[in-house]
Amino acid sequence: MLAQGAVDAAAIHLRDARTGRYNDVFARRVLGGEPARLVHLWRREQGIVVPKGNPLDIRGVADLDGVRLAWRQPGTGSRLLLNRLLLETGAVPAPEGELCDSHFGVAVAVAVGAVDAGLAVRAVAEAVDADFLPVEWEDFELAVSPRAVGLLGPLLDVLASTSVHQRVSRLSGYELSRSGESRIAA
Protein backbone atom coordinates (compact mmCIF):
# COMPACT_ATOMS: atom_id res chain seq x y z
CA MET A 1 0.00 0.00 0.00
CA LEU A 2 2.93 2.33 0.69
CA ALA A 3 4.36 1.61 -2.78
CA GLN A 4 0.97 2.34 -4.36
CA GLY A 5 0.62 5.65 -2.51
CA ALA A 6 -2.50 4.43 -0.68
CA VAL A 7 -0.88 5.16 2.71
CA ASP A 8 1.76 7.62 3.87
CA ALA A 9 3.49 5.21 6.27
CA ALA A 10 3.66 1.51 7.06
CA ALA A 11 4.95 -0.49 10.02
CA ILE A 12 7.92 -2.67 9.12
CA HIS A 13 10.08 -5.21 10.94
CA LEU A 14 12.04 -7.19 8.37
CA ARG A 15 15.68 -8.23 8.62
CA ASP A 16 17.67 -8.51 5.41
CA ALA A 17 19.41 -11.89 5.55
CA ARG A 18 22.33 -10.64 3.44
CA THR A 19 23.20 -7.52 5.46
CA GLY A 20 21.62 -8.31 8.84
CA ARG A 21 20.09 -4.82 8.86
CA TYR A 22 16.46 -4.21 9.67
CA ASN A 23 14.05 -2.49 7.30
CA ASP A 24 16.34 -0.32 5.13
CA VAL A 25 16.49 -2.55 2.05
CA PHE A 26 12.76 -3.30 2.15
CA ALA A 27 11.68 0.33 2.61
CA ARG A 28 13.81 1.51 -0.31
CA ARG A 29 12.62 -1.36 -2.52
CA VAL A 30 8.95 -0.65 -1.80
CA LEU A 31 9.40 3.00 -2.73
CA GLY A 32 11.23 2.19 -5.95
CA GLY A 33 14.59 3.32 -4.59
CA GLU A 34 13.27 6.66 -3.32
CA PRO A 35 14.71 7.73 0.02
CA ALA A 36 12.30 6.41 2.65
CA ARG A 37 12.37 7.86 6.12
CA LEU A 38 12.41 5.24 8.90
CA VAL A 39 11.11 6.19 12.34
CA HIS A 40 12.13 3.84 15.12
CA LEU A 41 9.16 2.88 17.29
CA TRP A 42 10.69 0.17 19.52
CA ARG A 43 12.63 -3.06 19.64
CA ARG A 44 10.63 -6.14 20.47
CA GLU A 45 11.51 -9.68 21.35
CA GLN A 46 10.12 -12.48 19.21
CA GLY A 47 10.28 -16.07 20.32
CA ILE A 48 8.68 -19.47 20.37
CA VAL A 49 5.54 -19.70 22.48
CA VAL A 50 4.99 -23.14 24.00
CA PRO A 51 2.49 -24.43 26.57
CA LYS A 52 3.30 -23.91 30.24
CA GLY A 53 5.91 -26.47 31.27
CA ASN A 54 7.05 -26.97 27.65
CA PRO A 55 5.79 -30.58 27.39
CA LEU A 56 7.60 -31.27 24.09
CA ASP A 57 10.89 -29.91 25.52
CA ILE A 58 11.32 -27.48 22.61
CA ARG A 59 14.59 -25.57 23.01
CA GLY A 60 14.85 -23.74 19.70
CA VAL A 61 13.65 -23.49 16.12
CA ALA A 62 15.33 -26.76 15.12
CA ASP A 63 13.03 -28.56 17.58
CA LEU A 64 9.96 -27.43 15.60
CA ASP A 65 10.49 -30.31 13.16
CA GLY A 66 7.20 -32.24 12.98
CA VAL A 67 5.49 -29.89 15.44
CA ARG A 68 2.00 -28.40 14.89
CA LEU A 69 2.49 -24.62 14.58
CA ALA A 70 0.37 -21.51 14.87
CA TRP A 71 1.20 -19.34 11.86
CA ARG A 72 0.74 -15.64 11.23
CA GLN A 73 -0.84 -14.61 7.93
CA PRO A 74 1.33 -14.96 4.78
CA GLY A 75 3.30 -11.78 4.11
CA THR A 76 3.48 -10.64 7.74
CA GLY A 77 6.90 -9.91 9.18
CA SER A 78 6.51 -12.60 11.82
CA ARG A 79 5.55 -15.21 9.21
CA LEU A 80 8.58 -14.27 7.10
CA LEU A 81 10.82 -14.47 10.17
CA LEU A 82 9.52 -17.93 11.07
CA ASN A 83 9.90 -19.14 7.47
CA ARG A 84 13.52 -17.89 7.43
CA LEU A 85 14.35 -19.53 10.77
CA LEU A 86 12.81 -22.85 9.71
CA LEU A 87 14.74 -22.76 6.45
CA GLU A 88 18.02 -21.99 8.25
CA THR A 89 17.59 -24.92 10.65
CA GLY A 90 16.04 -27.35 8.19
CA ALA A 91 13.06 -27.93 10.47
CA VAL A 92 9.82 -28.94 8.74
CA PRO A 93 6.74 -28.49 10.92
CA ALA A 94 3.70 -30.76 10.75
CA PRO A 95 1.38 -29.96 7.84
CA GLU A 96 -1.56 -29.27 10.14
CA GLY A 97 -1.47 -26.02 12.04
CA GLU A 98 -3.47 -22.91 12.84
CA LEU A 99 -3.58 -19.63 10.92
CA CYS A 100 -3.79 -16.66 13.30
CA ASP A 101 -4.52 -12.98 12.71
CA SER A 102 -2.35 -11.68 15.55
CA HIS A 103 0.45 -12.47 17.97
CA PHE A 104 -2.19 -12.84 20.67
CA GLY A 105 -4.02 -15.37 18.47
CA VAL A 106 -0.80 -17.39 18.20
CA ALA A 107 -0.35 -17.41 21.97
CA VAL A 108 -3.98 -18.39 22.59
CA ALA A 109 -3.79 -21.24 20.04
CA VAL A 110 -0.76 -22.58 21.91
CA ALA A 111 -2.25 -22.07 25.38
CA VAL A 112 -5.49 -23.93 24.56
CA GLY A 113 -3.66 -26.84 22.90
CA ALA A 114 -4.83 -26.24 19.32
CA VAL A 115 -1.12 -26.32 18.33
CA ASP A 116 2.19 -27.18 19.96
CA ALA A 117 4.07 -23.91 19.39
CA GLY A 118 4.14 -20.63 17.49
CA LEU A 119 6.24 -17.52 16.99
CA ALA A 120 5.06 -14.36 18.75
CA VAL A 121 6.22 -11.54 21.01
CA ARG A 122 7.04 -12.18 24.67
CA ALA A 123 4.22 -9.98 26.01
CA VAL A 124 1.46 -12.20 24.57
CA ALA A 125 3.07 -15.40 25.86
CA GLU A 126 3.04 -13.92 29.35
CA ALA A 127 -0.54 -12.69 28.91
CA VAL A 128 -1.79 -16.26 28.39
CA ASP A 129 0.63 -17.81 30.93
CA ALA A 130 2.57 -19.76 28.30
CA ASP A 131 6.31 -20.34 28.23
CA PHE A 132 8.52 -18.28 25.91
CA LEU A 133 11.81 -19.21 24.27
CA PRO A 134 13.62 -16.08 22.99
CA VAL A 135 14.65 -16.13 19.34
CA GLU A 136 15.40 -12.60 18.13
CA TRP A 137 15.08 -8.91 18.98
CA GLU A 138 13.81 -6.90 16.03
CA ASP A 139 13.58 -3.22 15.17
CA PHE A 140 9.94 -2.23 14.70
CA GLU A 141 9.85 0.94 12.62
CA LEU A 142 7.61 3.07 10.51
CA ALA A 143 8.56 3.55 6.85
CA VAL A 144 7.38 6.98 5.70
CA SER A 145 7.09 8.07 2.09
CA PRO A 146 9.10 11.17 1.10
CA ARG A 147 5.90 13.18 0.47
CA ALA A 148 4.70 12.58 4.06
CA VAL A 149 7.88 13.39 6.00
CA GLY A 150 6.49 16.82 6.92
CA LEU A 151 3.66 15.12 8.79
CA LEU A 152 5.98 13.39 11.27
CA GLY A 153 6.06 16.14 13.92
CA PRO A 154 2.94 15.10 15.87
CA LEU A 155 3.92 11.42 15.72
CA LEU A 156 7.38 12.16 17.08
CA ASP A 157 5.82 14.23 19.86
CA VAL A 158 3.56 11.34 20.87
CA LEU A 159 6.45 8.86 20.76
CA ALA A 160 8.45 11.13 23.06
CA SER A 161 5.61 11.43 25.57
CA THR A 162 5.97 9.92 29.00
CA SER A 163 2.57 8.22 28.83
CA VAL A 164 3.47 6.26 25.68
CA HIS A 165 6.80 5.20 27.15
CA GLN A 166 5.13 4.10 30.38
CA ARG A 167 2.48 2.04 28.58
CA VAL A 168 4.84 0.28 26.20
CA SER A 169 7.48 -0.21 28.92
CA ARG A 170 4.96 -2.23 30.93
CA LEU A 171 4.94 -4.83 28.15
CA SER A 172 7.60 -7.50 28.56
CA GLY A 173 9.98 -7.78 25.65
CA TYR A 174 9.77 -4.17 24.45
CA GLU A 175 12.68 -1.73 24.52
CA LEU A 176 12.26 2.00 23.83
CA SER A 177 15.71 3.60 24.10
CA ARG A 178 15.72 4.67 20.41
CA SER A 179 12.00 5.42 20.11
CA GLY A 180 11.37 8.43 17.88
CA GLU A 181 14.78 8.35 16.18
CA SER A 182 14.47 8.99 12.48
CA ARG A 183 16.81 8.22 9.59
CA ILE A 184 16.88 7.84 5.82
CA ALA A 185 16.85 4.16 4.79
CA ALA A 186 20.35 3.18 3.65
Side-chain angles (χ1 to χ4, degrees):
M1 292 180 77
L2 185 63
Q4 297 165 356
V7 297
D8 293 323
I12 185 169
H13 55 101
L14 300 170
R15 184 170 71 88
D16 180 47
R18 188 177 49 78
T19 65
R21 289 186 59 109
Y22 271 91
N23 307 325
D24 294 68
V25 171
F26 303 99
R28 287 190 74 87
R29 187 180 310 143
V30 157
L31 292 171
E34 286 187 55
R37 168 86 46 193
L38 291 169
V39 178
H40 189 83
L41 300 176
W42 46 71
R43 292 187 71 217
R44 66 183 193 174
E45 189 178 25
Q46 292 253 37
I48 302 167
V49 180
V50 295
K52 193 73 168 172
N54 194 1
L56 296 180
D57 196 32
I58 294 169
R59 297 287 170 221
V61 176
D63 295 331
L64 298 178
D65 198 50
V67 169
R68 295 174 307 136
L69 291 180
W71 295 90
R72 292 297 314 282
Q73 296 288 335
T76 61
S78 295
R79 174 73 173 253
L80 295 170
L81 171 60
L82 181 56
N83 286 341
R84 177 179 55 83
L85 295 169
L86 290 168
L87 186 64
E88 287 174 0
T89 63
V92 178
E96 67 274 6
E98 193 80 22
L99 191 60
C100 301
D101 288 330
S102 66
H103 285 260
F104 192 70
V106 168
V108 169
V110 171
V112 300
V115 294
D116 303 311
L119 185 80
V121 294
R122 179 183 288 274
V124 298
E126 291 183 5
V128 300
D129 198 29
D131 286 349
F132 181 83
L133 309 166
V135 170
E136 186 169 301
W137 281 88
E138 61 184 8
D139 289 339
F140 197 93
E141 296 179 308
L142 200 59
V144 182
S145 71
R147 71 179 186 292
V149 168
L151 304 173
L152 285 176
L155 171 65
L156 295 174
D157 291 344
V158 168
L159 287 173
S161 75
T162 303
S163 66
V164 168
H165 275 261
Q166 287 173 342
R167 286 180 182 175
V168 177
S169 293
R170 284 191 286 253
L171 299 171
S172 294
Y174 282 80
E175 193 272 315
L176 295 159
S177 67
R178 294 178 21 234
S179 182
E181 287 182 9
S182 166
R183 71 187 197 304
I184 300 294

